[in-house]
Amino acid sequence: MNSDYLVNLLIILISAAFINNVILSQFLGICPFLGISNKIKSAVGMGLAVMFVITTASILCSLVFQYILDPMNLQYLQTIVFIIVIAALVQLVEMVIKKFSPTLYDALGVYLPLITTNCAVLGVALLNVDKGFDLVESIVNGFASALGFTIAIVLMAGIRERMEHNDIPETFKGFPITLVTATLMAMAFYGFAGLV
């Protein structure tokens, strides 16, 4: 690998994790972001599960597109094929978490199977294809996007845990203050826009 390619990978990594954060910039994956971010432990668990699924889905979807769909001119099937790949991965993750960490499985609840329909997972796979990324670039973009998802959800969980002890006006308690917090986080991440 030459140095220009490595610099390009670094730009993809920083851009996907911070500048084009899937939650705070592209607004993908909002459901688990708002639903699971009550406790840091469950947010970290969800983040790691999403990290595994997005990274692995990026690899598999990139390979399927490059070696099956594109050569056979079946690009129009990419969304359906990607959904099938993602659904299979989520089932695998769900079985592993249920086997090795039942408490995390219970904490994630309904949001774990919802990774299948998490638009961030499908969105990253489709963005990899739309941007013409090769396999290594797809892996880096998938991992960095998932890292950005994890950073955002863990930060939100930390803020929400601290807000439990604050005196919040009655009209803002619950979901409204969560939306205000998410808005402020998105504005803060917007500050990364000039980084690359």
Side-chain angles (χ1 to χ4, degrees), residues 118-190:
N118 186 342
C119 55
V121 180
L122 179 61
V124 171
L126 292 173
L127 283 172
N128 288 339
V129 171
D130 288 345
K131 291 183 178 181
F133 287 159
D134 62 19
L135 180 61
V136 176
E137 291 170 332
S138 294
I139 294 168
V140 170
N141 187 55
F143 175 77
S145 296
L147 179 65
F149 178 94
T150 304
I151 290 168
I153 198 169
V154 170
L155 283 174
M156 177 61 108
I159 292 169
R160 286 179 77 179
E161 278 187 3
R162 296 200 60 162
M163 281 193 312
E164 288 178 3
H165 308 293
N166 292 347
D167 186 25
I168 298 170
E170 193 63 37
T171 55
F172 281 101
K173 285 186 179 177
F175 199 64
I177 195 68
T178 302
L179 291 178
V180 169
T181 304
T183 303
L184 293 173
M185 286 177 63
M187 290 170 60
F189 269 68
Y190 184 71

Side-chain angles (χ1 to χ4, degrees), residues 55-67 69 78 81-83 85-86 89 121-122 125-126 128-129 135 138:
T55 305
T56 309
S58 294
I59 295 167
L60 294 177
C61 291
S62 179
L63 291 173
V64 166
F65 185 82
Q66 287 178 359
Y67 295 109
L69 298 179
Q78 71 184 12
V81 172
F82 291 178
I83 288 171
V85 169
I86 291 165
L89 283 171
V121 180
L122 179 61
L126 292 173
N128 288 339
V129 171
L135 180 61
S138 294

Side-chain angles (χ1 to χ4, degrees), residues 14-33:
I14 293 169
S15 177
F18 299 105
I19 299 166
N20 296 318
N21 186 286
V22 289
I23 292 178
L24 301 173
S25 178
Q26 299 179 30
F27 308 112
L28 298 172
I30 297 292
C31 178
F33 174 68

